[in-house]
Amino acid sequence: MDTYADDLAALVETLDLKNAIHIGHSAGGGEVARYIGRHGTKRVAKAVLIGAVTPLMLKTPANPGGLPIEVFDDIRANVLADRSQFFKDLSAPFYGANRPNAKVSQGLRDSFWLQGMQAGFKGVIDCIKAFSETDFTEDLKKFDVPTLILHGDDDQIVPIAASALLSSKMVKGATLKIYPGAPHGLCSTHKDQVNADLLAFLKAQRSASA
């Protein structure tokens, strides 16, 4: 995650971005948190965490609501055994396609598989450790910009109880919006609602600062 954050910082500085809006989904939410934790908010206007892995996915004595390490060991084993089938199988809980009366297209699931297969093998393995074992608690405490947290309460990948419900308490003044019945891949399954909420959040902050 330090690498992700430092790469982002290099991009932001090279482009000389100011008052940038950082929106991160899943592990990307962790990247936004670590970027702010390591590089501050001097170039950040506001932040949005969507289905984010923050503050910590792994179960530890200090984080009893997290997932056991065996869950992530199984993911690594399945990726190594047959990563193509792994991504096909993962697309079901990712989008909630395994729920009764789900309306998730095969095309969307195929797109997820394609994105996964385009990732480098080592990158996939390394990122499992990065998103599952990184503790973002101290990063979240450094947030001092308006922050919106969106999460589905039926997220089977990043359970809401150990993520958004905790993160929203660690980020001072954060706004938490829970999507009833929404899965991890809510940016696709609930894209119109996500876009509307993002636009309203950004416009409201602009008006408040004008």
Side-chain angles (χ1 to χ4, degrees), residues 30-112:
E31 180 178 349
V32 170
R34 181 50 54 90
Y35 169 80
I36 289 176
R38 284 173 70 82
H39 301 279
T41 57
K42 61 183 178 181
R43 293 177 177 270
V44 180
K46 51 189 71 78
V48 184
L49 306 179
I50 307 176
V53 297
T54 55
L56 173 62
M57 287 196 69
L58 184 66
K59 182 178 182 179
T60 66
N63 187 47
L67 298 171
I69 189 65
E70 289 79 13
V71 171
F72 304 108
D73 287 341
D74 285 344
I75 292 175
R76 277 183 277 265
N78 289 326
V79 168
L80 289 171
D82 187 344
R83 67 172 178 152
S84 181
Q85 190 60 49
F86 169 76
F87 285 124
K88 284 184 178 294
D89 293 342
L90 184 62
S91 69
F94 194 96
Y95 294 114
N98 57 344
R99 296 308 198 202
N101 304 313
K103 298 178 181 179
V104 180
S105 71
Q106 188 60 49
L108 180 58
R109 296 183 62 179
D110 289 347
S111 175
F112 176 86

Side-chain angles (χ1 to χ4, degrees), residues 4-14 35 39:
Y4 292 174
D6 292 349
D7 284 350
L8 176 57
L11 179 65
V12 168
E13 289 165 15
T14 298
Y35 169 80
H39 301 279

Side-chain angles (χ1 to χ4, degrees), residues 14 21 25 43 58-59 75 110 119 121 148 153 174 178 185 201:
T14 298
I21 301 161
H25 171 257
R43 293 177 177 270
L58 184 66
K59 182 178 182 179
I75 292 175
D110 289 347
F121 217 129
L148 174 65
D153 68 3
I178 299 172
F201 175 67

Side-chain angles (χ1 to χ4, degrees), residues 27-207:
E31 180 178 349
V32 170
R34 181 50 54 90
Y35 169 80
I36 289 176
R38 284 173 70 82
H39 301 279
T41 57
K42 61 183 178 181
R43 293 177 177 270
V44 180
K46 51 189 71 78
V48 184
L49 306 179
I50 307 176
V53 297
T54 55
L56 173 62
M57 287 196 69
L58 184 66
K59 182 178 182 179
T60 66
N63 187 47
L67 298 171
I69 189 65
E70 289 79 13
V71 171
F72 304 108
D73 287 341
D74 285 344
I75 292 175
R76 277 183 277 265
N78 289 326
V79 168
L80 289 171
D82 187 344
R83 67 172 178 152
S84 181
Q85 190 60 49
F86 169 76
F87 285 124
K88 284 184 178 294
D89 293 342
L90 184 62
S91 69
F94 194 96
Y95 294 114
N98 57 344
R99 296 308 198 202
N101 304 313
K103 298 178 181 179
V104 180
S105 71
Q106 188 60 49
L108 180 58
R109 296 183 62 179
D110 289 347
S111 175
F112 176 86
W113 168 84
L114 179 60
Q115 292 175 65
M117 293 302 291
Q118 288 177 324
F121 217 129
K122 186 178 187 304
V124 170
I125 292 294
D126 288 350
C127 99
I128 296 168
K129 182 178 181 66
F131 76 67
S132 66
E133 297 181 33
T134 303
D135 189 341
F136 300 98
T137 301
E138 294 306 314
D139 302 300
L140 294 173
K141 292 178 180 178
K142 294 180 181 178
F143 278 47
D144 58 1
V145 294
T147 302
L148 174 65
I149 298 175
L150 306 178
H151 214 106
D153 68 3
D154 192 33
D155 191 323
Q156 300 172 66
I157 308 300
V158 182
I160 190 172
S163 55
L165 297 187
L166 298 179
S167 294
S168 61
K169 296 176 182 178
M170 295 178 183
V171 177
K172 186 177 180 180
T175 298
L176 171 64
K177 184 155 190 178
I178 299 172
Y179 284 32
H184 189 57
L186 73 171
C187 290
S188 294
T189 61
H190 293 65
K191 60 183 180 182
D192 291 339
Q193 185 179 352
V194 170
N195 286 337
D197 286 338
L198 288 177
L199 191 58
F201 175 67
L202 304 185
K203 283 185 173 181
Q205 294 305 325
R206 279 204 200 98
S207 299

